[in-house]
Amino acid sequence: SIEAGMMGIAISTSETSQEAVALFDNLRIWAVEPTGPAITQCWITVDGLVNIRIGPGTEFASVGQMMAGARLLANGQTTDDDDFIWWRFADHTWVRSDVVNWDEDCSRLPQVIR
């Protein structure tokens, strides 16, 4: 994974062959649209009880819960293998974005390598 920048893939053939076959496992490509400058933190709030996990992904252990009305600052984000966005807090715990409320600006938090 890379945090920012560009990545390239090159495929080449030999002088005696005009055919190339490239096989990829789990290759993902996204078009990225400009959203403005990155931000360093944004507010996450909850309407009900929400599990906080030790890592991004439901396979990581729950290490606590956010109670209804709780408000925490997120400082990073990542997308898991199931395409869920996870918000990271300062103590490096995580919460999934679809179970909390978040500021629109949260989408501009820096990407975190898992």
Side-chain angles (χ1 to χ4, degrees), residues 71-83:
R71 188 171 185 212
L72 290 173
L73 280 171
N75 66 6
Q77 66 173 309
T78 194
T79 303
D80 69 13
D81 293 336
D82 295 323
D83 291 327

Side-chain angles (χ1 to χ4, degrees), residues 11-114:
I11 302 170
S12 114
T13 63
S14 68
E15 289 184 25
T16 60
S17 174
Q18 294 184 8
E19 182 178 319
V21 176
L23 303 173
F24 298 95
D25 183 39
N26 296 327
L27 175 67
R28 295 180 185 189
I29 300 173
W30 290 272
V32 179
E33 297 183 21
T35 58
I39 60 171
T40 58
Q41 59 188 14
C42 70
W43 288 104
I44 304 293
T45 58
V46 295
D47 294 329
L49 197 60
V50 172
N51 286 332
I52 298 173
R53 300 199 176 268
I54 197 164
T58 54
E59 72 276 5
F60 287 96
S62 176
V63 293
Q65 295 181 322
M66 289 178 72
M67 306 301 272
R71 188 171 185 212
L72 290 173
L73 280 171
N75 66 6
Q77 66 173 309
T78 194
T79 303
D80 69 13
D81 293 336
D82 295 323
D83 291 327
F84 286 109
I85 296 171
W86 288 78
W87 305 123
R88 184 186 71 183
F89 301 118
D91 64 358
H92 290 263
T93 58
W94 297 80
V95 67
R96 203 168 80 188
S97 67
D98 65 322
V99 296
V100 296
N101 303 312
W102 43 279
D103 296 337
E104 178 129 354
D105 284 344
C106 288
S107 62
R108 297 187 1 241
L109 283 171
Q111 291 292 318
V112 176
I113 298 173
R114 298 185 271 153

